[in-house]
Amino acid sequence: MLELILFYTFGTIAVVSAILVITRHNVVHSAAFLGATLFAVAGIFLTLQAEFLAGVQVIVYVGGILVLFVFVIMLIAVERSVHERQYNRQRTIALITSAILIVEIAYGLYRGRDSLILPSIVTPPAAAAAVGNSEQVGTALYTSYLLPFEIASILLLVAIVGAVVLAKKRTPAEE
Amino acid sequence: MSQFFQIQDIGAITPELELVAFGMFLLIFDLLIPDKRKLGLIALAGIAISGLFLFRLRNTDFSAYGGVLALDPFSIFFKSIFLIAAALSIAISLKYLDIERENHGEYYALILFATMGMMFMAGAVDLVTLYIGLETMAIATYILVGFLRSNQRSNEASMKYFLLGAFSSGILLYGMSLLYGLSGSTRFVDIAEALSRRPLTDPISMMAMITLSAGMFFKVAAVPFHQWTPDAYEGAPTSITAFMSVAVKAASFAMMVRIFMVAIYPLRPQWLPIMAAVSVMTMTIGNIAAITQSNVKRMLAYSSISHAGYILIGFIAGNETGLTAVPLYLFIYTFTNLGAWAVIVALRRKDVIGEQIDDMAGLFFRHPSGAVLMLIFLLSLAGIPPTAGFIGKYYLFAAAIQTGHNTLAVIAVLNAAISIYFYFRIVVSMFMREATEKTGLVYAPGLTMTLAIATFFTLLIGVYPDPFIAMARQAVVLGF
């Protein structure tokens, strides 16, 4: 019962703040609400006994990515964006399409709700609970997912190189 | 097989490791070597060595890293396509980047990293590995599309491609997460096993299939997810357009074969009608839109959309002929399309962009060899014998008829007929119009080499296709 209450509390906070993120005119407010969404999602992870994921969510998303967003906001002209039109002319079409999509997905999930219940995932087996969630994630990363884990480092290298390539100034020789 | 890392697992990824090593060398050498064309040659050497490693693995068939990576004839066939495409794209870049004044070592390093990502996509039999490989390829490609930093079209193309690509990756991931939720595993075989145990109309598997298909149709630029293609292909550096239209496309199809023919094969009755509709729309809209283009890059972009539509026929047929046709067609398309793009790269000179059909006017009188080579590639793209393109189309259409998809075959043949019209607009411009300017083509050594290789294979596969068909068949028969 307590779990259910916690889930709905965190869920409501996450959804409401997510809507506020995209409807606020002021980007600083959007960033703050994004932080609230991320914290609420971390809370949901906690109720699922995924404490490692909850910690990573807070450290990486709130501590890293959100702070980056705020830095970028500091560098751009916030005042102008407040007065600019927030949506383009396709707003109505977009709203209708998203509404249809939401209804479809909700209907699909409702109809198929029985097939999604995986006992081993919702309630971790006793042995796994004894080892702890962080250890399990670590084991998975270094056994079943060793290869993708290593390729991810190349992915990050590509992203860093790309950011440098696109952002660096042209040298006089290139002009 | 142990779940832990074993030393032979390293052996399975030597071609990829070697590419990564060369990519990192290039990033360092970029600071030391002022002549950037030498870096391109180093990258070519890296690809050649990677090819040697791949050749040494040619007869292996096992899965490595606890079953996330398959080293089977299928992945080796596709990996060789990626290496060939990457090598030829680098060869046509050497001079082109000098003319555009954007010759940097990072360019070659990013191509190598993108190729590495593709090789993991072709080998992946696990959702996580597949996705990481896909993103490595995609992020490197977004950057390469925007590599002409002072060119607004290039910036815009990169931005569009990045936004839509990120969005489609999100949709793809949604499908993947649903599949994981259904099966509790990220391995394709486990997913197929879990899906086969549920009713066909299970709403969750339907949702997983639809989102997954939407994401993948975006990656191969199938209608109705094709709008990014003309803009991205037009704005990108032409050498990168060539790379994208063959290597990125082939990698996306390799991923599609693994997903559709293994992971969600139990849902085949459900995805077949979607696939058929997408295939027909892709062929038709791609060809009809190509007719009205006056920019050759945009025209070839629409043509590449329509080719994706033909290749989807192989999935719809789903028999041995159809599945053989997919890698075979992509192999042929690699040479044919890279050749056509190489001619367009050769048209780019200091002051001429060389992308309009008018820029090709009278090319035959100014530069007969360029015009004749372009004619061969266009004939192959249109699928006219004795060029390789005919063999590829023949196999696809034959597969459709074998499996009783006669309407589909008729539509495909009609589309091939439409495509002849716009390919021949270029031919007419080259052979039957007055030359508007005097300057010839720029033939750099790399370009000449690419054109020679592309022409050789386009004609060779056209007249003597047997060994290549045998290789493609071995790839799919042993692979599945």
Side-chain angles (χ1 to χ4, degrees):
Chain A
M1 189 60 199
L2 177 69
E3 236 173 67
L4 215 58
I5 295 170
L6 280 175
F7 172 77
Y8 279 111
T9 320
F10 285 130
T12 319
I13 297 175
V15 172
V16 171
S17 348
I19 293 172
L20 287 170
V21 171
I22 53 166
T23 50
R24 292 301 88 194
H25 270 273
N26 191 325
V27 276
V28 183
H29 296 174
S30 293
F33 282 116
L34 183 63
T37 311
L38 297 172
F39 266 116
V41 173
I44 293 177
F45 286 146
L46 272 185
T47 63
L48 293 172
Q49 299 172 4
E51 64 270 7
F52 178 77
L53 209 52
V56 168
Q57 170 87 3
V58 172
I59 295 168
V60 174
Y61 282 88
V62 184
I65 294 176
L66 191 64
V67 169
L68 261 182
F69 279 156
V70 176
F71 264 111
V72 173
I73 293 169
M74 271 166 52
L75 298 174
I76 57 167
V78 177
E79 292 78 20
R80 233 185 64 204
S81 71
V82 175
H83 299 294
E84 271 178 7
R85 210 171 49 160
Q86 204 172 356
Y87 304 101
N88 64 16
R89 291 191 189 82
Q90 295 167 342
R91 186 183 179 177
T92 329
I93 303 171
L95 275 176
I96 295 169
T97 324
S98 331
I100 294 173
L101 191 65
I102 287 178
V103 171
E104 272 177 4
I105 293 178
Y107 177 75
L109 288 175
Y110 178 75
R111 281 280 311 280
R113 63 192 181 282
D114 298 333
S115 34
L116 271 184
I117 296 170
L118 289 172
S120 62
I121 294 175
V122 177
T123 42
V131 189
N133 180 255
S134 313
E135 282 91 336
Q136 275 187 294
V137 173
T139 313
L141 273 186
Y142 281 96
T143 54
S144 340
Y145 299 108
L146 177 68
L147 181 67
F149 181 66
E150 298 293 346
I151 310 173
S153 58
I154 306 295
L155 175 64
L156 289 177
L157 177 70
V158 169
I160 295 168
V161 170
V164 173
V165 166
L166 292 181
K168 81 176 172 195
K169 282 208 176 72
R170 294 173 69 88
T171 57
E174 291 165 354
E175 292 299 334
Chain B
M1 188 193 327
S2 158
Q3 58 165 328
F4 294 105
F5 170 75
Q6 289 169 311
I7 197 68
Q8 58 262 44
D9 290 344
I10 286 277
I13 59 164
T14 40
E16 290 89 343
L17 278 180
E18 199 274 338
L19 279 186
V20 173
F22 264 81
M24 291 186 192
F25 282 145
L26 282 174
L27 290 176
I28 298 168
F29 287 155
D30 188 32
L31 304 168
L32 308 173
I33 301 176
D35 181 6
K36 303 300 178 199
R37 264 189 260 180
K38 283 197 186 117
L39 293 174
L41 297 179
I42 295 175
L44 280 179
I47 292 174
I49 298 171
S50 178
L52 279 181
F53 279 118
L54 191 64
F55 185 71
R56 284 185 49 196
L57 292 170
R58 68 194 177 283
N59 288 327
T60 49
D61 190 359
F62 70 105
S63 68
Y65 287 94
V68 300
L69 192 75
L71 199 71
D72 47 17
F74 176 80
S75 69
I76 290 168
F77 189 87
F78 269 96
K79 283 172 187 179
S80 46
I81 294 184
F82 306 149
L83 288 177
I84 292 168
L88 297 185
S89 307
I90 288 177
I92 60 176
S93 305
L94 299 172
K95 179 74 187 170
Y96 177 78
L97 289 177
D98 269 354
I99 296 176
E100 298 280 2
R101 296 190 196 185
E102 288 283 4
N103 212 340
H104 304 290
E106 292 92 350
Y107 176 92
Y108 305 109
L110 285 171
I111 288 193
L112 294 192
F113 290 139
T115 312
M116 179 218 76
M118 292 169 195
M119 292 168 85
F120 280 120
M121 279 169 81
V125 286
D126 166 271
L127 289 177
V128 182
T129 316
L130 177 78
Y131 185 74
I132 298 271
L134 170 70
E135 279 304 286
T136 313
M137 172 193 86
I139 289 181
T141 322
Y142 302 146
I143 301 157
L144 289 168
V145 169
F147 212 80
L148 306 179
R149 283 173 299 153
S150 54
N151 180 333
Q152 275 208 338
R153 280 196 313 172
S154 177
N155 298 345
E156 188 194 327
S158 177
M159 197 67 197
K160 268 187 189 160
Y161 186 33
F162 170 66
L163 288 177
L164 288 172
F167 192 65
S168 74
S169 292
I171 295 174
L172 191 70
L173 266 185
Y174 190 69
M176 289 182 175
S177 68
L178 282 176
L179 282 185
Y180 178 62
L182 286 173
S183 59
S185 168
T186 55
R187 309 276 196 274
F188 291 169
V189 277
D190 298 344
I191 292 170
E193 213 263 320
L195 286 179
S196 62
R197 275 190 277 110
R198 6 183 99 249
L200 263 180
T201 50
D202 183 59
I204 307 257
S205 20
M206 286 285 279
M207 270 164 56
M209 185 269 290
I210 289 170
T211 44
L212 210 60
S213 320
M216 277 184 297
F217 286 143
F218 177 92
K219 300 290 179 200
V220 298
V223 177
F225 308 101
H226 66 292
Q227 285 96 340
W228 59 274
T229 320
D231 291 327
Y233 280 23
E234 187 193 351
T238 312
S239 48
I240 288 306
T241 314
F243 183 65
M244 283 165 74
S245 69
V246 293
V248 173
K249 186 153 280 195
S252 309
F253 271 111
M255 161 174 88
M256 272 185 89
V257 173
R258 293 245 192 230
I259 296 261
F260 278 101
M261 301 317 291
V262 181
I264 61 171
Y265 191 75
L267 298 176
R268 187 169 153 84
Q270 301 285 358
W271 57 252
L272 208 55
I274 300 181
M275 188 80 98
V278 168
S279 168
V280 168
M281 281 195 298
T282 308
M283 288 187 282
T284 316
I285 293 178
N287 278 324
I288 289 176
I291 290 178
T292 57
Q293 304 302 321
S294 62
N295 181 308
V296 181
K297 279 176 93 171
R298 281 188 91 82
M299 184 188 278
L300 285 182
Y302 279 111
S303 128
S304 97
I305 294 174
S306 68
H307 283 282
Y310 299 134
I311 298 172
L312 289 180
I313 295 176
F315 291 84
I316 298 164
N319 60 355
E320 196 192 309
T321 321
L323 283 180
T324 308
V326 173
L328 181 68
Y329 198 95
L330 286 164
F331 188 75
I332 292 168
Y333 186 68
T334 301
F335 291 109
T336 306
N337 214 34
L338 267 172
W341 285 110
V343 175
I344 297 171
V345 169
L347 284 165
R348 174 79 170 99
R349 279 140 291 164
K350 277 263 168 349
D351 45 345
V352 185
I353 298 179
E355 289 173 8
Q356 301 298 320
I357 288 193
D358 294 340
D359 292 335
M360 297 203 153
L363 187 69
F364 180 64
F365 307 107
R366 284 188 279 141
H367 216 293
S369 65
V372 170
L373 291 180
M374 190 69 175
L375 175 67
I376 293 172
F377 300 133
L378 291 175
L379 285 176
S380 180
L381 283 174
I384 294 171
T387 55
F390 169 72
I391 306 292
K393 283 213 171 64
Y394 172 79
Y395 257 73
L396 283 174
F397 298 170
I401 291 168
Q402 274 177 6
T403 50
H405 295 94
N406 293 332
T407 328
L408 191 67
V410 171
I411 295 173
V413 171
L414 285 178
N415 266 295
I418 298 175
S419 73
I420 294 174
Y421 172 76
F422 64 81
Y423 290 130
F424 271 71
R425 273 183 65 199
I426 302 181
V427 176
V428 167
S429 177
M430 287 192 305
F431 285 85
M432 299 189 180
R433 280 172 53 187
E434 291 285 313
T436 45
E437 49 170 313
K438 291 281 169 281
T439 43
L441 300 179
V442 172
Y443 274 151
L447 260 174
T448 319
M449 187 194 85
T450 304
L451 285 172
I453 293 174
T455 318
F456 176 73
F457 277 97
T458 304
L459 293 177
L460 176 73
I461 302 175
V463 293
Y464 183 52
D466 297 355
F468 302 97
I469 294 171
M471 274 195 307
R473 174 166 292 138
Q474 192 204 16
V476 292
V477 169
L478 292 182
F480 296 95

